[in-house]
Amino acid sequence: RTSRVVVVEAVLRRGRKAHHAKRTHPTGSGSVEPRCSNMADVEGVPLPAELDDLGEGNGGNVSLVEFDVVVDLAWIMITAFLGLLGHVGLALREVGMMGYTMKDVSDALEKNVLVVATSVFAWWSVGYAFAFGRGSGDWFIGTQFFFLASTRSCPFEDEDLCVYSRSPSGPTYAFFFQQWVYASIVATITTSTIAKRCSNMMHAAYTLALIGVIYPVVVHWMWSDSGWLSAFFDPRNSWGRFYSGVVDFAGSGVVYMTAGAAAMVGCFILGPLKPEENAGRISPTNSLALASTGTFLLWVCFYGLASGRTLGLSNGFARVAEKVVVMVTLAAGGGGIGGIALQQLLSFSPKYEPSGTLVLNSVLGALVAVQAGSSVIEPYAAFAIGGFAAPTYLASSALLDFVHLIDPLGNVSVFFFCGAYGLVVAGLLGTTMNTTASYPEGQNCGWFYSGCNWKQFVTNIVGAVMVAGWTLLTSLAVFLAIRWLQSDSERSDTSVSSHSQDNVQAHPQVAPSWKFWKRKHNAPVTEDSTAAVPSPLD
């Protein structure tokens, strides 16, 4: 036990020195090479003789190399497991806010499972290859690792560290699993937003396109080691990148803007639920308790999704991970307080009926916004980002109402608009110290601080525009095809869960909005109120 404690302390102590000496970050390629394996070669960081070999002569303890590998892979998998809780949270939030019948609840959960399962195939077959594959001239899209078929021999000099004679060529299996979790969250966000507007077959179809092509291209641009907007760009590539790359540590733009943009196009093209699908009654499952439980689970999910982006705890990145967790916490607190403050201000209006959904979605908006800068900002900035996410959510919700885009859960406002807001401010509030600690040498810091310049702010704006433009255009083509393939009668059958109209309940616009202020929170949606908002293509 004593020797293991000594190992941990030595690895952490020496890891910090090696980290600042090398200033490298693993997020780009997800290489399986252990980041602590060459610590003994770092100048000025000698390895103590008593720790040089902890193998056969020291009670069978593992070597530093193996210890490093085990800790990093375990960290990636554990945080990915936490991220999977997001599917439960999104499902509870959807059921709690949409007012489903009990049969609709089971069908909605079945639909979510179908989408997640489809995302597995899409990511395994082509999505992962397009996102992280390498090849000649792959600044736009990857070209390797299809079906995880590319392998190599043991990457370690000490073959005792290899259980299998062949391993993935490039990233590890743990890295593949973690990145699939992000992709599946994107798919579930989209499908919960356009729930009951298309058949299960169509849900599977757009998931294949979203996770197989649309989302991986964005990932390749910003998170691979060869993307033209990546902060983890490998300088050995023959092409260049835009300044020093986008600062989006945990996916405000890459993950959540992409999901929100696809959801927005789906709502626009598929249109609102038909008037006959709203019988003017409120389902007993329309529960703020379920929505609140789902929000808390999503809060926990964000801890895993954000801190797991360090891709390990060795080489000093344990310090980055612990700071990221605190930044996420402060932002969520700021979002909740901002939502409560807005609710109190709006309560002075006689047309406003208080609702907990404003606070819940403000917290989620804050969690989304802080992801981009969670590793480069200071605590006061995290709280401020969370606080301003509440008015960002409310203003965007009002804008969507103005253009008659029906989004009952508020997902477009929470994920697209708050994600864009978070990506932009990450280019303003990143300090020099934090940027140096979590990004490669030469990465630009936030414009607000002395010694920094405007380049990171402009780069992040370009990143936000490119994510929005690519996702909106490609999703438009996908959902237009779905609308053409799916007849009105088929949509009507599936949107009521293939059951009689007697079981259909109202689906109120529960997200705070201008219309929301003009009627009570649980007021039924009448035929007149929905018939006035046809699909833009009708």
Side-chain angles (χ1 to χ4, degrees):
R1 176 181 177 85
T2 302
S3 63
R4 291 183 183 275
V5 172
V6 172
V7 171
V8 174
E9 292 178 347
V11 169
L12 291 180
R13 181 174 64 254
R14 291 157 45 68
R16 288 192 294 273
K17 295 181 180 179
H19 168 70
H20 290 293
K22 297 181 69 178
R23 289 181 181 177
T24 58
H25 193 279
T27 311
S29 63
S31 173
V32 298
E33 297 292 345
R35 291 188 295 277
C36 288
S37 61
N38 59 350
M39 280 187 179
D41 299 328
V42 178
E43 183 178 356
V45 192
L47 181 65
E50 63 273 17
L51 296 179
D52 190 30
D53 185 6
L54 295 177
E56 297 179 359
N58 195 13
N61 287 306
V62 297
S63 66
L64 286 178
V65 175
E66 187 175 4
F67 181 83
D68 181 24
V69 172
V70 169
V71 168
D72 287 351
L73 295 184
W75 175 251
I76 293 174
M77 290 186 288
I78 290 171
T79 53
F81 295 152
L82 285 177
L84 284 175
L85 289 176
H87 294 293
V88 183
L90 289 169
L92 289 176
R93 182 167 169 266
E94 177 185 347
V95 170
M97 288 185 173
M98 286 291 286
Y100 288 152
T101 64
M102 294 308 296
K103 184 60 179 177
D104 287 339
V105 169
S106 63
D107 287 346
L109 297 179
E110 179 185 359
K111 172 257 301 177
N112 284 1
V113 171
L114 170 66
V115 167
V116 173
T118 305
S119 72
V120 172
F121 176 78
W123 190 247
W124 168 61
S125 58
V126 296
Y128 182 69
F130 288 157
F132 294 101
R134 304 185 187 95
S136 177
D138 61 348
W139 61 271
F140 182 82
I141 194 170
T143 56
Q144 290 181 338
F145 310 144
F146 295 100
F147 293 95
L148 285 180
S150 178
T151 62
R152 63 175 175 175
S153 59
C154 177
F156 304 121
E157 294 181 3
D158 182 3
E159 294 189 0
D160 291 337
L161 297 178
C162 291
V163 178
Y164 306 105
S165 60
R166 305 290 296 180
S167 62
S169 177
T172 62
Y173 286 123
F175 183 76
F176 169 86
F177 172 70
Q178 182 201 53
Q179 294 303 313
W180 165 75
V181 171
Y182 288 108
S184 64
I185 291 293
V186 171
T188 304
I189 290 172
T190 305
T191 194
S192 64
T193 308
I194 60 174
K196 298 176 72 68
R197 306 190 202 199
C198 64
S199 67
N200 284 346
M201 185 64 69
M202 295 300 105
H203 278 298
Y206 76 70
T207 299
L208 285 174
L210 179 62
I211 306 305
V213 180
I214 300 173
Y215 170 70
V217 169
V218 177
V219 173
H220 188 80
W221 289 352
M222 297 189 185
W223 279 359
S224 73
D225 61 359
S226 56
W228 68 284
L229 288 172
S230 175
F232 312 108
F233 187 80
D234 188 340
R236 293 174 295 181
N237 292 317
S238 60
W239 56 95
R241 61 173 171 173
F242 192 82
Y243 290 126
S244 61
V246 174
V247 170
D248 187 6
F249 185 77
S252 291
V254 174
V255 178
Y256 305 108
M257 271 191 71
T258 302
M264 178 163 56
V265 174
C267 290
F268 182 82
I269 297 300
L270 300 180
L273 295 174
K274 293 184 175 181
E276 62 267 19
E277 295 168 9
N278 296 281
R281 295 168 292 164
I282 298 301
S283 168
T285 62
N286 193 339
S287 168
L288 191 60
L290 289 177
S292 300
T293 303
T295 301
F296 274 117
L297 283 175
L298 286 169
W299 190 332
V300 175
C301 160
F302 275 104
Y303 284 131
L305 296 177
S307 61
R309 283 290 296 157
T310 61
L311 295 186
L313 298 177
S314 63
N315 218 4
F317 282 104
R319 295 300 187 188
V320 178
E322 67 175 356
K323 187 165 190 175
V324 166
V325 168
V326 173
M327 298 306 104
V328 171
T329 303
L330 292 174
I337 292 175
I340 293 173
L342 279 179
Q343 188 165 270
Q344 291 300 314
L345 289 175
L346 295 174
S347 65
F348 292 105
S349 171
K351 296 181 179 180
Y352 177 75
E353 184 74 18
S355 168
T357 58
L358 172 57
V359 178
L360 297 181
N361 284 347
S362 295
V363 170
L364 288 181
L367 288 167
V368 169
V370 79
Q371 300 299 299
S374 56
S375 68
V376 299
I377 59 177
E378 286 296 307
Y380 62 84
F383 190 84
I385 288 174
F388 283 103
T392 300
Y393 161 73
L394 193 61
S396 59
S397 179
L399 175 63
L400 295 179
D401 267 353
F402 181 76
V403 299
H404 300 305
L405 192 146
I406 304 301
D407 177 22
L409 300 179
N411 279 351
V412 176
S413 298
V414 167
F415 294 104
F416 178 76
F417 287 99
C418 288
Y421 152 69
L423 185 59
V424 171
V425 298
L428 295 173
L429 302 177
T431 67
T432 303
M433 177 187 68
N434 292 331
T435 302
T436 301
S438 56
Y439 279 87
E441 187 175 4
Q443 182 66 38
N444 292 321
C445 49
W447 195 9
F448 276 0
Y449 297 97
S450 60
C452 306
N453 55 43
W454 50 267
K455 291 184 178 179
Q456 193 58 61
F457 177 61
V458 171
T459 304
N460 276 31
I461 290 179
V462 170
V465 171
M466 292 305 300
V467 171
W470 166 259
T471 309
L472 290 173
L473 289 175
T474 51
S475 297
L476 180 63
V478 171
F479 282 107
L480 283 175
I482 287 176
R483 183 179 176 86
W484 179 74
L485 291 172
Q486 182 169 261
S487 64
D488 289 341
S489 60
E490 181 185 7
R491 179 188 164 209
S492 177
D493 291 340
T494 57
S495 61
V496 297
S497 307
S498 301
H499 299 291
S500 66
Q501 291 286 348
D502 294 336
N503 290 328
V504 180
Q505 308 296 333
H507 295 77
Q509 175 84 3
V510 298
S513 59
W514 305 131
K515 294 178 183 178
F516 174 83
W517 299 345
K518 295 178 182 179
R519 64 173 185 266
K520 292 185 177 181
H521 167 55
N522 280 335
V525 178
T526 63
E527 180 173 346
D528 292 338
S529 64
T530 51
V533 192
S535 168
L537 300 182
D538 287 339

